[in-house]
Amino acid sequence: DAGVIQSPRHEVTEMGQEVTLRCKPISGHDYLFWYRQTMMRGLELLIYFNNNVPIDDSGMPEDRFSAKMPNASFSTLKIQPSEPRDSAVYFCASSFSQTPTYGYTFGSGTRLTVV
Amino acid sequence: SQQGEEDPQALSIQEGENATMNCSYKTSINNLQWYRQNSGRGLVHLILIRSNEREKHSGRLRVTLDTSKKSSSLLITASRAADTASYFCATEDNYGQNFVFGPGTRLSVLP
């Protein structure tokens, strides 16, 4: 398996534009997590899915953020409209269980810059 | 939500020396994990230690857990320049559900 695959690796967009981040989890992993990492706030859990169903989205900062998982092999995180304060690295991670022995497998992240 | 706090925030050592990082947390846990993050990359799981374990080893890594003090330490022996990275501890949140990550320790190993 190629691991968790995120795209794009880098995204630069103008304020007000819509941004869509993509994630392909490891096949067979039932849990998918979206994290945001900034210098100020560290690594924050935004939302997680179990068997494609959103379980907890309490970390989503506001209504401008939305996430979907239409099937077991694909998830998106959308920001609309984007703002400069959304600039961060967004990570997707997947795992067999919620608190797995072998930890979460993270993708390489998408570095988002909103200007 | 519960969060581990790593200490120190940054650590700089010479190649060959040992590096020790600490993690303190607030409430009881079942598991604690350590991750490494190289610059510009995602986090990589290093090791998990359960609440009924006191010490675990993996290669040059040694993790200890003291549940009475609510703390864990990660020791990297005979450090190498390639160990330069940020190290995070992750503890379960208050509901025992997801893992919550601390702010990390930035380790620099100088050649």
Side-chain angles (χ1 to χ4, degrees):
Chain A
D1 203 316
V4 176
I5 300 172
Q6 291 187 247
S7 63
R9 285 298 310 275
H10 302 274
E11 177 80 39
V12 180
T13 190
E14 292 185 345
M15 183 174 65
Q17 296 296 306
E18 176 182 302
V19 176
T20 299
L21 312 181
R22 297 172 176 80
C23 175
K24 182 181 188 309
I26 289 177
S27 177
H29 280 189
D30 293 330
Y31 286 83
L32 183 140
F33 306 84
W34 280 101
Y35 284 88
R36 178 173 67 177
Q37 186 177 40
T38 61
M39 289 294 293
M40 291 296 295
R41 301 175 68 89
L43 205 62
E44 303 172 279
L45 176 64
L46 300 177
I47 185 172
Y48 80 94
F49 295 82
N50 176 214
N51 291 324
N52 313 337
V53 176
I55 303 300
D56 183 359
D57 65 354
S58 60
M60 297 284 260
E62 42 196 280
D63 292 344
R64 296 183 299 106
F65 286 69
S66 63
K68 294 181 180 179
M69 192 165 185
N71 56 61
S73 59
F74 184 64
S75 177
T76 60
L77 178 67
K78 183 180 294 185
I79 308 173
Q80 180 186 21
S82 58
E83 297 182 3
R85 60 191 167 125
D86 301 330
S87 296
V89 182
Y90 291 81
F91 288 102
C92 175
S94 69
S95 69
F96 283 113
S97 66
Q98 208 162 6
T99 53
T101 301
Y102 296 104
Y104 300 162
T105 302
F106 281 78
S108 296
T110 294
R111 181 174 295 277
L112 173 65
T113 304
V114 183
V115 298
Chain B
S1 58
Q2 164 164 269
Q3 183 181 52
E5 288 278 340
E6 294 91 346
D7 167 62
Q9 289 186 337
L11 178 62
S12 186
I13 59 173
Q14 293 294 133
E15 206 165 23
E17 294 180 339
N18 295 340
T20 300
M21 289 157 273
N22 302 297
C23 171
S24 59
Y25 55 91
K26 298 184 178 70
T27 61
S28 297
I29 58 171
N30 293 315
N31 306 292
L32 183 145
Q33 303 196 25
W34 285 92
Y35 286 77
R36 183 189 73 231
Q37 183 181 32
N38 290 89
S39 179
R41 306 300 297 273
L43 279 73
V44 174
H45 179 256
L46 295 175
I47 198 166
L48 175 146
I49 187 165
R50 300 189 186 283
S51 59
N52 61 353
E53 298 175 312
R54 292 296 168 259
E55 188 170 311
K56 283 189 81 170
H57 297 257
S58 177
R60 293 183 296 112
L61 305 180
R62 177 184 148 217
V63 169
T64 62
L65 179 64
D66 187 335
T67 53
S68 65
K69 295 181 179 178
K70 292 186 172 57
S71 68
S72 173
S73 67
L74 170 66
L75 168 68
I76 304 174
T77 59
S79 64
R80 305 167 182 167
D83 295 328
T84 295
S86 291
Y87 292 83
F88 297 85
C89 69
T91 55
E92 297 152 326
D93 64 19
N94 290 336
Y95 304 100
Q97 296 183 348
N98 304 306
F99 279 101
V100 180
F101 292 83
T105 292
R106 292 189 309 280
L107 172 66
S108 297
V109 181
L110 307 175

